[in-house]
Amino acid sequence: MPNGELVGKAFEIVMSLAIAFSVGAIVLVILGYNPIEVYAILFKYGYGNVKYLMNKSTPLIMTGLAFAIPSIAGVFNIGGESQLYVGAFTALMTAYYTNNPLLALIVGALAGACLGWFIGALRVYRGINEVITAIMVNWVFFYVITYLIAGVFYNPQRPHESIPVPENARIKPIGDLSVIFSIAVIVALAYYYLLYYTDLGYRLRVSGLSPSSARYAGFDPSKAVLTSMLLGGAAAGLGGALLVLGITYNIDDMLSAVYGLGFTGIGIGLLGRNHPIGIIFSALFLSGLIIGGQWVELKTGAPPELADTLMGVIVIALAIPYVYRMIFRKLAEGRQ
Amino acid sequence: MIGDILNIISNTLISMVPLTLAGVGEIITEKSGVVNIGLEGIFILSAFTSTVVTFYTGNPYLGLLVGVIVGVLSGILHGLISVYLKGDQIIAGVGFNSFAYGISLLALVSLWHSHGSSPSVNKIPMIIVGSLSFSPLTIVAFLVGFAAWWWLYKTPGGLRLRACGEDPRAAEAMGVNVYRVRFYATVVGSALTGLGGAYLVVGWIGQFTKFISAGRGFIALANVAFSNWNPLMAIVGGLLFGFFEALSIYIPIKLQEMTGRVFTAEASLFRTIPYLATLVVVAIIMKKVKMPRALGKPYIKE
């Protein structure tokens, strides 16, 4: 990436964050909170506990990748949500019945990949917009897995929870090192390598930039759609598996610990500018906002959905790079 | 048996309103070349504001009006971003959905100290004909569908709007102000969606709840594809998807009556019906549809 472009992208991100926090402050004032106090708590507690921050960001790195990889190939994967649910659920089942954490991770990733492929296939073979399909699939799996947890695989001792991940299949931190976070980082690096240093990655990127050039160069853009959805779905599925095996050890019957992680992944992918390394940092940043949001609730009573509001504004602001490019160009011209 | 059928028809007529209104609105928007996937967010935001206004004034018609105004404001925002700032329309819509969800819950907690739902508010009375009951907004939804079809296909204004979505450069050459048409189309579409969102509260449920829109904004988008961008077919689509929603409510109640068993966990399985049905219907129909050629692409004058 040339230097000027990198600075330009950084400028877009900083602008988006500035707009988001300004809008957030206005919202807080209207609702009767002191924005300075709220933001102080948000940042102090959100980024205070590094171990917790790493754990929290693990599934989000994966759902960020689940959005980003298909995006690069020109597909809008809004189904990270359900891909994460099936990953979490199948990993839980595998861990419960086999006590094998590695197998559970693999099964979770495969389940997510299958679901991702299904959404991609409906677009390729039936021409259905992946946004519509993915949302419908998200709701179907939300309710199906809610049923499976509440009605079939519940824990007889604690009926509002699923059967647990057995003790010897849990992934524990080694000293201060979060193992699940390390796995997520390694996967992100692998995706980075795949995208920018392999033939397959090149094909995905070309197909995303211009399907007609891809066709001209002899690649099939439909294949890029399917491959990228497989890779994206696998990431989200693995994210769900890491969450269950490394953090929650079960799934509650309202799915409250898994709900929303896929949607947040969209914001993370966009904020990281769909770059695997950028995604690691944006996941850490947004996790801090989410953790901080929970503390803000404890301390001031402002609900944790503050994080959703801020993320929404960040994403809206990220949608208009044209404007930033114009401002940036004006600024650059002014300096000369 | 007859009673059951009338019950399902009534519920279909009640469920079809937001899906038709938002579907027709989005058809108008998309025919001009702008796609707005923030329908879900508009539903949530206008449902919430109309709850607040109805709660404090006691007047559900005022609530309805405020829902439309919030829809207009959302449309202005999306129109500015998509048309004048040439932003990414899909990303803006995704961001708006998250923003609307977050801010409505922030306001819900700060107003009523509840994370789940608002107090009940006054509703617009239903029209009752024999054993059928439906909302006056059902009639409005039908009328809006017919009017939009007539306007889009039978008037010069409609022709100009469609030209902007098919070939904006040619439209510009014909003297149409593409930016302005697209902007107004987005605002009108969002206003209709706002009406649908307000209806969720003052026409139907009677209170705001956390998941009030429950993906209906996306079902309305599916309705647009189902209708092949024809407002008359969007009425049919609203009835069809509304029927599936009515079934998903009716089946568990009926099963409970028949067996005497309470289906708690299984209830969530029945709730998949409208989403599964949407998927299947769209998968069968979609191959044949033809979307506006310039849909989703910002128009940049040379």
Side-chain angles (χ1 to χ4, degrees):
Chain A
M1 203 182 286
N3 246 344
E5 199 183 320
L6 200 65
V7 176
K9 284 195 177 193
F11 181 73
E12 283 167 35
I13 290 169
V14 171
M15 283 295 289
S16 305
L17 295 177
I19 293 173
F21 282 100
S22 315
V23 172
I26 296 169
V27 169
L28 285 168
V29 170
I30 293 172
L31 297 178
Y33 301 101
N34 176 352
I36 297 171
E37 187 197 354
V38 168
Y39 284 157
I41 296 167
L42 193 71
F43 281 98
K44 183 173 166 214
Y45 292 97
Y47 302 94
N49 183 340
V50 177
K51 239 201 270 181
Y52 189 46
L53 189 63
M54 285 202 276
N55 265 349
K56 193 88 186 167
S57 65
T58 299
L60 292 174
I61 293 175
M62 305 312 289
T63 50
L65 290 171
F67 174 77
I69 307 303
S71 265
I72 289 169
V75 198
F76 202 85
N77 181 22
I78 203 166
E81 192 73 17
S82 48
Q83 292 147 21
L84 181 117
Y85 301 161
V86 296
F89 180 75
T90 52
L92 175 73
M93 290 295 122
T94 313
Y96 185 79
Y97 289 108
T98 68
N99 286 329
N100 183 338
L102 185 64
L103 188 66
L105 291 182
I106 294 170
V107 168
L110 281 177
C114 290
L115 198 50
W117 181 87
F118 172 71
I119 294 168
L122 279 176
R123 169 166 151 175
V124 169
Y125 300 114
R126 302 292 316 170
I128 310 175
N129 185 311
E130 67 273 18
V131 174
I132 294 171
T133 324
I135 291 287
M136 296 307 133
V137 169
N138 285 347
W139 282 101
V140 169
F141 278 92
F142 177 83
Y143 286 122
V144 168
I145 291 178
T146 305
Y147 162 71
L148 288 173
I149 302 236
V152 187
F153 298 104
Y154 57 87
N155 182 342
Q157 271 95 49
R158 310 166 96 173
H160 63 285
E161 280 175 10
S162 68
I163 47 178
V165 173
E167 196 63 40
N168 55 358
R170 295 180 183 185
I171 304 177
K172 296 267 168 62
I174 303 173
D176 269 345
L177 180 80
S178 164
V179 174
I180 54 168
F181 178 75
S182 313
I183 295 174
V185 169
I186 291 167
V187 172
L189 292 173
Y191 274 29
Y192 170 68
Y193 178 80
L194 185 109
L195 273 176
Y196 292 98
Y197 294 96
T198 67
D199 186 45
L200 176 69
Y202 179 69
R203 286 174 185 221
L204 292 185
R205 284 183 294 133
V206 173
S207 303
L209 283 173
S210 161
S212 51
S213 338
R215 232 172 270 121
Y216 184 70
F219 335 137
D220 181 0
S222 320
K223 236 181 224 160
V225 169
L226 293 174
T227 313
S228 69
M229 285 299 288
L230 262 178
L231 288 168
L238 182 60
L242 289 170
L243 175 78
V244 165
L245 264 56
I247 305 173
T248 62
Y249 309 131
N250 63 51
I251 306 175
D252 61 289
D253 63 1
M254 305 285 287
L255 307 193
S256 50
V258 292
Y259 182 81
L261 294 172
F263 293 128
T264 309
I266 298 169
I268 285 163
L270 291 168
L271 190 61
R273 279 297 181 221
N274 289 339
H275 192 290
I277 314 281
I279 283 169
I280 298 172
F281 290 104
S282 70
L284 284 167
F285 172 72
L286 279 178
S287 301
L289 278 190
I290 295 165
I291 300 168
Q294 288 157 352
W295 278 97
V296 167
E297 186 182 23
L298 277 175
K299 301 257 171 190
T300 69
E305 277 82 11
L306 177 63
D308 291 275
T309 315
L310 289 175
M311 199 185 74
V313 184
I314 294 173
V315 171
I316 295 173
L318 283 169
I320 43 177
Y322 184 84
V323 180
Y324 308 130
R325 260 172 236 151
M326 231 161 55
I327 300 171
F328 190 63
R329 217 178 298 135
K330 286 267 148 65
L331 285 176
E333 277 166 14
R335 250 187 294 142
Q336 277 163 10
Chain B
M1 187 62 201
I2 298 278
D4 290 338
I5 292 171
L6 288 173
N7 179 310
I8 292 177
I9 294 175
S10 293
N11 280 318
T12 303
L13 290 174
I14 289 167
S15 309
M16 65 85 74
V17 176
L19 306 175
T20 301
L21 286 174
V24 171
E26 180 69 7
I27 288 171
I28 295 172
T29 304
E30 292 198 4
K31 275 285 181 191
S32 83
V34 176
V35 59
N36 184 1
I37 69 163
L39 300 186
E40 185 84 358
I42 301 177
F43 272 165
I44 296 172
L45 211 53
S46 58
F48 182 76
T49 47
S50 102
T51 309
V52 175
V53 169
T54 310
F55 179 81
Y56 285 108
T57 64
N59 185 340
Y61 298 98
L62 215 53
L64 213 55
L65 177 70
V66 168
V68 175
I69 293 170
V70 166
V72 167
L73 294 176
S74 314
I76 290 175
L77 178 71
H78 191 71
L80 280 177
I81 292 173
S82 315
V83 179
Y84 291 105
L85 303 180
K86 300 166 187 75
D88 187 309
Q89 299 168 16
I90 302 269
I91 292 175
V94 169
F96 185 76
N97 286 337
S98 168
F99 169 74
Y101 170 77
I103 198 170
S104 307
L105 288 183
L106 277 176
L108 179 69
V109 173
S110 90
L111 270 180
W112 288 303
H113 307 285
S114 155
H115 283 269
S117 56
S118 75
S120 295
V121 297
N122 290 339
K123 290 189 345 185
I124 293 168
M126 291 278 172
I127 297 172
I128 296 168
V129 182
S131 335
L132 274 185
S133 67
F134 53 90
S135 170
L137 269 295
T138 302
I139 300 169
V140 173
F142 273 93
L143 291 178
V144 162
F146 281 112
W149 174 81
W150 177 81
W151 190 81
L152 276 175
Y153 290 98
K154 303 287 170 196
T155 68
L159 178 69
R160 281 198 284 272
L161 184 140
R162 287 185 288 130
C164 293
E166 290 295 335
D167 192 343
R169 222 162 285 288
E172 191 80 54
M174 274 158 47
V176 179
N177 185 335
V178 176
Y179 290 161
R180 198 184 297 159
V181 169
R182 285 188 167 186
F183 182 76
Y184 285 135
T186 308
V187 172
V188 169
S190 305
L192 288 174
T193 309
L195 181 63
Y199 167 84
L200 286 176
V201 174
V202 298
W204 185 359
I205 297 163
Q207 64 175 162
F208 178 84
T209 58
K210 187 171 179 176
F211 292 116
I212 191 157
S213 67
R216 282 194 192 88
F218 291 94
I219 296 185
L221 279 168
N223 188 15
V224 172
F226 167 83
S227 74
N228 200 5
W229 286 265
N230 177 345
L232 293 181
M233 280 306 288
I235 299 174
V236 178
L239 288 168
L240 183 70
F241 295 121
F243 169 72
F244 290 126
E245 204 174 332
L247 267 192
S248 76
I249 299 165
Y250 170 82
I251 293 175
I253 294 172
K254 195 70 196 170
L255 272 181
Q256 200 168 313
E257 259 173 40
M258 282 161 57
T259 61
R261 231 188 96 199
V262 184
F263 294 89
T264 21
E266 290 84 350
S268 46
L269 278 185
F270 296 115
R271 299 188 67 174
T272 61
I273 293 173
Y275 309 104
L276 268 179
T278 304
L279 256 184
V280 172
V281 168
V282 175
I284 292 168
I285 299 284
M286 195 63 187
K287 197 81 183 180
K288 287 170 250 153
V289 306
K290 202 171 157 294
M291 61 175 79
R293 263 185 298 155
L295 185 64
K297 295 177 195 124
Y299 176 59
I300 299 167
K301 274 190 212 170
E302 273 159 6

